[in-house]
Amino acid sequence: MAAAAATAATKGNGGGSGRAGAGDSSGARKKKGPGPVATAYLVIYNVVMTAGWLVIAVGLVRAYLAKGSYHSLYYSIERPLKFFQTGALLEILHCAIGIVPSSVVLTSFQVMSRVFLIWAVTHSVKEVQSEDSVLLFVIAWTITEIIRYSFYTFSLLNHLPYIIKWARYTLFIVLYPMGVTGELLTIYAALPFVRQAGLYSISLPNKYNFSFDYHAFLILIMISYIPLFPQLYFHMIHQRRKVLSHTEEHKKFE
């Protein structure tokens, strides 16, 4: 789950996936790039996803202005959030068919972890939807994805404004911890309701001789943040220095 928040610094040539570790693809892979048809498709995909997350951002602002409060704003953007976050599953396909040079396994893990949080936690446990922690990760995701998909779109068009590149490799410093905090607090808030309802748990005895404790599974997910968060965060810090310092050096020679 923690890896899902690492979308602020990603890998690939602007194809809308390969989320962890931008700028560390080999030179050969960068030069190859997708073909003209794939490029056109990826531009459309990233434009649509940028627009979708902008709709979510506008929805949050409008709901806040109408209510005069930031509490329970989730309900105002629930449908577009589910739609566009689930739409990120296409990024796995992009990697699988080779139009984006990124790891299918890594991309699958990171996309699915967010989809899991949306559907298997926030959607399934209605009681947590009014928690402020949900708004925390939604805001972090929204800003991150607007920047990320804009970055991919302009990169594919070979016209990347420096401000977008800077935002992509800088704002994660705040957005990543913010998103992770919201995710953890949301899962934690869901635990008592999951235990009480026995949500998604399978008890013995049964004909398959198999048991599953969803409550314990969520606790394991929370524990996984401990080793993953520092590794990903400092990796992104390293990528930021590498990418932005390279940009500054390039500007000096122009």
Side-chain angles (χ1 to χ4, degrees):
M1 294 293 291
T7 57
T10 64
K11 178 180 176 182
N13 62 351
S17 63
R19 299 175 165 223
D24 51 4
S25 300
S26 65
R29 291 170 73 184
K30 284 184 179 179
K31 290 178 182 178
K32 187 177 178 182
V37 175
T39 298
Y41 160 75
L42 290 172
V43 168
I44 294 171
Y45 172 80
N46 285 293
V47 167
V48 169
M49 293 299 281
T50 302
W53 285 95
L54 280 170
V55 166
I56 294 170
V58 171
L60 286 171
V61 173
R62 290 181 63 183
Y64 172 75
L65 293 176
K67 293 180 61 176
S69 170
Y70 63 86
H71 298 294
S72 302
L73 293 184
Y74 169 80
Y75 302 104
S76 64
I77 48 83
E78 181 178 7
R79 289 185 179 179
L81 176 65
K82 288 177 178 177
F83 181 83
F84 287 103
Q85 185 55 68
T86 305
L89 290 171
L90 286 173
E91 298 182 19
I92 300 172
L93 178 63
H94 298 166
C95 298
I97 64 179
I99 62 174
V100 173
S102 304
S103 166
V104 177
V105 175
L106 183 60
T107 301
S108 298
F109 173 74
Q110 294 177 331
V111 171
M112 290 301 297
S113 62
R114 274 195 177 191
V115 173
F116 174 86
L117 186 64
I118 287 294
W119 289 103
V121 179
T122 310
H123 171 77
S124 300
V125 186
K126 306 294 184 184
E127 292 84 354
V128 304
Q129 294 177 2
S130 59
E131 294 286 331
D132 292 342
S133 58
V134 173
L135 182 62
L136 199 62
F137 76 71
V138 168
I139 291 175
W141 289 7
T142 301
I143 298 173
T144 297
E145 297 296 63
I146 290 171
I147 295 169
R148 186 170 75 91
Y149 287 115
S150 297
F151 177 93
Y152 287 140
T153 301
F154 286 110
S155 294
L156 286 162
L157 296 173
N158 296 315
H159 186 69
L160 178 63
Y162 178 76
I163 186 64
I164 293 179
K165 188 174 193 176
W166 178 89
R168 175 173 162 77
Y169 289 100
T170 302
L171 296 186
F172 77 87
I173 295 172
V174 173
L175 295 175
Y176 186 21
M178 178 179 168
V180 166
T181 300
E183 293 170 22
L184 281 171
L185 290 175
T186 299
I187 298 173
Y188 180 76
L191 289 177
F193 302 105
V194 169
R195 168 171 278 177
Q196 182 180 5
L199 183 67
Y200 301 140
S201 296
I202 303 173
S203 302
L204 289 171
N206 58 66
K207 64 179 180 179
Y208 301 108
N209 197 31
F210 169 80
S211 65
F212 175 71
D213 189 336
Y214 187 57
H215 181 270
F217 178 70
L218 289 180
I219 292 175
L220 288 176
I221 286 178
M222 293 177 69
I223 293 174
S224 73
Y225 278 73
I226 297 174
L228 287 174
F229 173 77
Q231 292 182 50
L232 290 168
Y233 191 72
F234 288 112
H235 173 72
M236 293 191 298
I237 291 288
H238 173 72
Q239 289 303 121
R240 178 182 187 276
R241 290 173 182 165
K242 189 162 104 175
V243 173
L244 294 187
S245 64
H246 176 75
T247 301
E248 291 300 326
E249 288 177 8
H250 180 71
K251 282 183 175 181
K252 289 179 183 179
F253 287 103
E254 290 182 338

